[in-house]
Amino acid sequence: MAVTPAEGIPKSDSASLPVVILAGNPNSGKTTVFNALTGLHYKVANYPGVTVERKESELTLGEQRVKLVDLPGIYHFGGHSLDEQIATAALLGTVKGASHPNLVVCVLDASNLERNLYLASQLIDAQIPLILALNMIDLAERHGVSVKVELLSRKLGIAVIPLCAAQGKGMRELGDAILKALAEKPVAPRTGAWIPESCCYHKVAMQQGSAYRLKHNYQGPVSDLLLGSSILSASLTDHRGQLRAADEACVKELAQDGIDPLSFEATERYRWINKLIKETTSKQDTAAKRRSDRLDAIITHKFWGTLVFAVIMFTIFQAIFLWSSYPTDLIDRMVQLIGNWVGGLMSDGILKSLLVDGVIAGVGSVLVFIPQIAVLFFFLGILEDSGYLSRAAFLMDRIMRKFGLQGRAFIPLLSSFACAIPGIMSTRTIPSFSDRLATILIAPLMSCSARLPVYTLLIAAFIPSQMLWGIVSLQGVVLLSMYVLGVAAAAVISWILKKTLLRGEPTIFVMEMPVFRRPALIAVMRDVWDRIVLFIRSAGTVILAISLLLWFLATFPRGDVEHTFAGRIGQILEPVIQPLGYNWEIGVGLLASFAAREVFVSSLSTVYNVQDNDSGYHSLLEVLQNKHAAGSFTLATALSLMVFYVFACQCMSTLAVCRRETGSWKWPLVMFTYMTTLAYICAFITYRLALNFWG
Amino acid sequence: MSPTHKERTTLGSIKAGSVVEVMSVSTVNRRLCNKLLTMGIVAGTIIDVLSVAPLGDPIKIKAKGYHLSLRIAEAEHVHVRPVAQPEHRAA
């Protein structure tokens, strides 16, 4: 998979600032270092043309302004996933339009130095100005690993800074070291004295004097492993012929010596690392290490691990529904107060109707759901940061494989419960394209937070709030079953996809399981905040716009609701949706929510408020409960509607992200078609069944 | 110390609780080989097989001081020989 060269990063005053890149293995705590350096002041953007996330911040170190960039974590140069390719390209300055780094800070997990040094050794051989940050040094010490930092620094010939970024320890020293290194441009002596002259890509690259600047479309031949050269080779399109000749000569030479070229680089690098580790670190067993290992053994145990997993998942769903209900009620009441207050200030008329029924009712009923989103993202953040998610992937792999997926798909799919967009974007960590595509296509079947408003509203209005066996909320059970329904359908669909459209190369599931650690709460909270801001922003723009449009459609031409534009569209739709148990008002809501699901709640509230002749804001919940009591909105309709929302692909953003991630309109079209068909059929079945049982 | 041919087996057939040394990684699957090698599964690496996931697959191992999970089918690409446990504990 070739990387599209990124075009046109906007130039600004900041273009002249020195660029410092944070590189490191996944789980090295790189992002924590980034947060500690920037004090959580950063911008999140994508690399232009691709959706690999790029966190960037400008900060002042001493007198010097610098631009700090956080890369996706990688284990080595090159690789198959887009994340790996972009990160490698950024390190080598081959991302078009982006300046090459003035300095790379390689963050290493001190408790796992041996493997973390692999990337560092490749960075050293690429001869980029470099310093090393030994993160989680306290955890390493507790686990009995002690590093002779000064000796390591002397051996390598570059600065090595011990850190504990989560507690802010060593950050000052790191800042000073960055400043010093920007001035001195320290380049460590190459590790690769073992590389035969003939296969030295560097030599070719250096001769041309522009190793960092070349395009990287080179499809590396057999030995692109040599010399960490996966990227160097990839960045040397212009020298393809030369490289291939050098490469063949090299492979031949190695073969003559009985050396397998594929394992050559890795073996030699680890030999170099081994020697370095022996000289500079010592290990001993500690109680903390034994405790952590024992905990890990339980968490990944066949039986106990599965039990813990189930309990964690169940807790999250109960928490979303029960714990967040208090702040939700509070916001709900405040929105009502504001609606009444504004309504009281104004005389009846178009403007009042616009404000109270359009703006406040529309946006207000979306804001109400912030607590649930916050709770969900909080749990996801904790699970990810503590290292639990990879354990979950380990536990789930065999089951996921039954449906043609893999354990790694679990994380994107779990994220999709919050929102399919980050979920789909995080599928980049899945190296196999067909696995990735299958995961993308079923991700929107995971009930996202935008469906929560619909579920919670309908559940609160139609499902009695009673306890089963005294401890389990019936409403919680119904909510959980909506999630289970989506998951079950996803399993079937992905199994079918992998048997038909997406038969592909077998997956690789070689996955690190990081040491359990206490999650960095501040970083998790910052992430929760980022998500809330994003949600409010979309509530404030897209949803407000649609609310206003709907208010317009539902208000004009003035008179009976049936004769407004909305009423007419709803009536045209009615024959199509009647078999599902929906009237034209619901039709209006469905139509609106094809832009974004959460709009359903606001549009329904707009439609119903406008219908009501009383002035003031009416809680949609109350309106629905009244209609339920009056029999004009039945339980069967509510259930059918929830099932429709489980399956329907009513999110333009998801389709847009799918288009961007898959590179064609084919896949979003497949997604939209299969989901809408599924939604219609299943809602129909649900309605008929519900009518039979309770109707 | 040199292993007889009989002793050579693959990581895929090693029981949880055993300790083995990597002899070589099969180059049949290039991508897999690349991945295993860069993650530290190179000749000479000592591997602790820690546990097995619920349905008997994947397995969790410890190598180079960290935990790694891989599927049985992938582990079959890693040729290993058994190591006497005390030797490893000392290392």
Side-chain angles (χ1 to χ4, degrees):
Chain A
M1 201 190 325
V3 181
T4 323
E7 302 285 347
I9 284 181
K11 291 267 188 261
S12 64
D13 300 349
S14 65
S16 57
L17 291 181
V19 177
V20 179
I21 288 188
L22 280 187
N25 285 187
N27 311 309
S28 61
K30 196 168 50 63
T31 301
T32 318
V33 174
F34 180 83
N35 287 342
L37 274 175
T38 58
L40 295 168
H41 297 295
Y42 59 79
K43 281 184 300 196
V44 187
N46 287 334
Y47 281 90
V50 291
T51 49
V52 173
E53 215 167 68
R54 171 196 178 94
K55 276 188 186 163
E56 199 177 288
S57 178
E58 280 174 28
L59 58 146
T60 311
L61 296 169
E63 303 278 284
Q64 173 80 59
R65 295 282 291 168
V66 300
K67 186 152 55 171
L68 190 69
V69 179
D70 188 24
L71 291 184
I74 51 172
Y75 291 109
H76 52 87
F77 280 172
H80 274 74
S81 78
L82 206 49
D83 266 7
E84 291 174 313
Q85 291 179 8
I86 295 278
T88 310
L91 284 169
L92 290 163
T94 51
V95 178
K96 215 185 195 175
S99 38
H100 70 87
N102 298 75
L103 179 69
V104 173
V105 177
C106 183
V107 180
L108 309 169
D109 171 1
S111 66
N112 185 5
L113 205 50
E114 208 168 340
R115 205 216 49 235
N116 274 250
L117 274 168
Y118 194 86
L119 178 67
S121 81
Q122 290 187 317
L123 283 165
I124 288 171
D125 283 336
Q127 299 283 286
I128 305 167
L130 181 71
I131 60 177
L132 303 183
L134 278 191
N135 193 24
M136 299 192 268
I137 195 87
D138 56 332
L139 181 74
E141 268 156 23
R142 260 184 283 128
H143 283 193
V145 178
S146 69
V147 185
K148 298 184 189 97
V149 177
E150 269 179 37
L151 185 63
L152 183 62
S153 167
R154 219 167 40 238
K155 292 253 173 215
L156 291 173
I158 48 174
V160 178
I161 315 296
L163 295 179
C164 173
Q167 283 152 41
K169 282 185 210 154
M171 298 315 294
R172 241 186 115 85
E173 291 79 356
L174 180 62
D176 293 345
I178 291 174
L179 267 186
K180 193 155 168 263
L182 278 173
E184 293 172 1
K185 304 193 187 346
V187 173
R190 289 204 2 233
T191 69
W194 39 271
I195 298 159
E197 279 289 302
S198 57
C199 67
C200 181
Y201 287 133
H202 288 282
K203 215 171 139 198
V204 184
M206 295 308 156
Q207 273 168 3
Q208 304 302 325
S210 55
Y212 298 162
R213 289 251 146 247
L214 299 167
K215 292 174 197 151
H216 52 284
N217 282 327
Y218 185 67
Q219 300 296 317
V222 191
S223 63
D224 66 358
L225 263 173
L226 293 170
L227 218 193
S229 38
S230 11
I231 15 78
L232 281 179
S233 64
S235 66
L236 294 175
T237 325
D238 300 352
H239 311 287
R240 199 176 293 219
Q242 246 174 307
L243 281 169
R244 193 158 288 161
D247 187 68
E248 276 161 15
C250 169
V251 171
K252 208 183 268 172
E253 192 176 309
L254 290 173
Q256 270 167 11
D257 297 342
I259 299 169
D260 166 37
L262 206 51
S263 54
F264 184 63
E265 179 190 3
T267 314
E268 291 305 318
R269 282 197 189 285
Y270 275 112
R271 201 194 302 280
W272 176 84
I273 290 166
N274 219 343
K275 186 161 169 280
L276 192 65
I277 289 278
K278 277 214 175 100
E279 289 165 346
T280 57
T281 69
S282 59
K283 257 183 219 174
Q284 66 195 57
D285 212 10
T286 63
K289 170 95 179 113
R290 280 196 298 273
R291 255 202 315 277
S292 166
D293 283 350
R294 214 174 308 135
L295 179 64
D296 198 4
I298 296 169
I299 293 287
T300 54
H301 186 269
K302 273 183 197 183
F303 177 73
W304 299 114
T306 312
L307 191 69
V308 169
F309 176 78
V311 168
I312 290 176
M313 293 304 126
F314 189 74
T315 309
I316 292 176
F317 288 114
Q318 287 289 309
I320 289 169
F321 205 81
L322 292 177
W323 303 356
S324 59
S325 66
Y326 305 102
T328 303
D329 290 348
L330 193 71
I331 295 174
D332 194 23
R333 231 166 287 145
M334 278 172 60
V335 171
Q336 277 193 49
L337 279 177
I338 294 171
N340 288 333
W341 179 68
V342 172
L345 287 181
M346 302 171 73
S347 54
D348 284 354
I350 286 288
L351 189 62
K352 174 177 166 179
S353 168
L354 172 66
L355 265 181
V356 177
D357 300 323
V359 179
I360 297 175
V363 172
S365 44
V366 171
L367 291 186
V368 157
F369 300 98
I370 286 175
Q372 279 126 333
I373 292 164
V375 168
L376 186 52
F377 272 104
F378 177 76
F379 274 104
L380 275 179
I382 298 279
L383 291 187
E384 177 158 31
D385 216 45
S386 63
Y388 184 76
L389 277 188
S390 71
R391 268 84 184 169
F394 170 75
L395 290 172
M396 300 311 289
D397 183 62
R398 189 69 192 85
I399 298 160
M400 303 289 275
R401 225 183 316 162
K402 282 214 159 83
F403 311 110
L405 296 172
Q406 57 152 302
R408 268 204 210 82
F410 185 80
I411 298 168
L413 291 178
L414 191 65
S415 309
S416 298
F417 282 116
C419 177
I421 290 151
I424 288 174
M425 282 165 65
S426 65
T427 59
R428 273 162 192 285
T429 52
I430 303 172
S432 143
F433 187 68
S434 66
D435 276 16
R436 198 175 138 213
L437 202 48
T439 312
I440 288 175
L441 287 176
I442 62 161
L445 286 176
M446 306 296 119
S447 283
C448 65
S449 55
R451 279 148 163 133
L452 256 183
V454 182
Y455 297 159
T456 48
L457 175 79
L458 293 172
I459 286 174
F462 294 91
I463 308 293
S465 79
Q466 64 190 44
M467 290 293 187
L468 297 177
W469 311 293
I471 45 159
V472 182
S473 144
L474 176 64
Q475 294 184 331
V477 170
V478 173
L479 179 69
L480 184 64
S481 51
M482 290 303 134
Y483 282 83
V484 170
L485 192 60
V487 172
V492 174
I493 297 287
S494 78
W495 185 82
I496 294 171
L497 281 172
K498 291 289 279 189
K499 291 275 170 205
T500 55
L501 287 176
L502 298 176
R503 258 178 308 189
E505 45 184 336
T507 342
I508 293 182
F509 191 71
V510 178
M511 179 186 68
E512 178 189 6
M513 301 169 90
V515 174
F516 263 125
R517 57 176 178 241
R518 194 172 306 149
L521 273 184
I522 295 173
V524 171
M525 295 309 280
R526 163 74 210 226
D527 197 50
V528 169
W529 176 248
D530 283 351
R531 302 301 152 189
I532 291 174
V533 169
L534 281 176
F535 182 77
I536 293 175
R537 216 183 280 158
S538 76
T541 55
V542 179
I543 300 177
L544 179 60
I546 292 169
S547 297
L548 290 181
L549 176 69
L550 276 161
W551 170 83
F552 175 82
L553 291 177
T555 309
F556 298 102
R558 304 276 281 164
D560 275 348
V561 188
E562 276 111 301
H563 302 118
T564 61
F565 297 123
R568 287 177 208 177
I569 298 172
Q571 280 153 23
I572 294 169
L573 266 182
E574 204 159 30
V576 182
I577 57 174
Q578 210 170 21
L580 312 182
Y582 309 154
N583 54 21
W584 65 267
E585 289 108 321
I586 298 175
V588 173
L590 285 184
L591 200 67
S593 55
F594 270 91
R597 292 181 186 90
E598 54 269 49
V599 173
F600 177 78
V601 175
S602 59
S603 63
L604 206 61
S605 103
T606 307
V607 169
Y608 281 142
N609 271 333
V610 172
Q611 246 183 318
D612 244 283
N613 290 323
D614 297 332
S615 60
Y617 178 92
H618 285 254
S619 161
L620 183 55
L621 182 57
E622 276 170 40
V623 172
L624 284 181
Q625 276 164 343
N626 291 339
K627 286 190 184 291
H628 183 29
S632 63
F633 198 127
T634 63
L635 175 65
T637 298
L639 288 175
S640 156
L641 201 50
M642 280 195 272
V643 169
F644 189 85
Y645 270 83
V646 169
F647 297 121
C649 183
Q650 297 159 304
C651 181
M652 287 182 179
S653 318
T654 300
L655 293 170
V657 168
C658 177
R659 154 80 180 80
R660 205 166 40 169
E661 294 295 313
T662 59
S664 85
W665 278 111
K666 179 184 168 192
W667 298 112
L669 199 68
V670 168
M671 184 191 268
F672 182 81
T673 313
Y674 95 77
M675 288 181 73
T676 309
T677 312
L678 199 61
Y680 192 89
I681 295 172
C682 292
F684 177 76
I685 295 171
T686 306
Y687 184 62
R688 292 293 141 189
L689 285 179
L691 276 186
N692 275 344
F693 280 113
W694 300 290
Chain B
M1 281 297 281
S2 72
T4 66
H5 198 71
K6 241 184 188 172
E7 278 177 299
R8 287 190 66 160
T9 173
T10 74
L11 184 58
S13 56
I14 302 296
K15 294 211 161 38
S18 315
V19 181
V20 294
E21 181 188 340
V22 177
M23 304 303 292
S24 65
V25 179
S26 158
T27 54
V28 173
N29 181 339
R30 228 185 127 233
R31 272 177 53 224
L32 176 63
C33 176
N34 187 342
K35 185 74 189 170
L36 287 168
L37 291 168
T38 51
M39 296 298 275
I41 311 300
V42 296
T45 298
I46 302 293
I47 290 178
D48 273 35
V49 181
L50 295 177
S51 64
V52 180
L55 298 170
D57 191 13
I59 57 171
K60 187 173 80 166
I61 64 171
K62 185 171 143 188
K64 305 240 178 252
Y66 77 103
H67 293 183
L68 189 70
S69 98
L70 70 169
R71 292 177 178 168
I72 300 281
E74 292 160 348
E76 276 164 4
H77 288 251
V78 182
H79 298 288
V80 295
R81 69 178 181 99
V83 167
Q85 297 230 4
E87 183 192 345
H88 164 66
R89 295 288 172 226

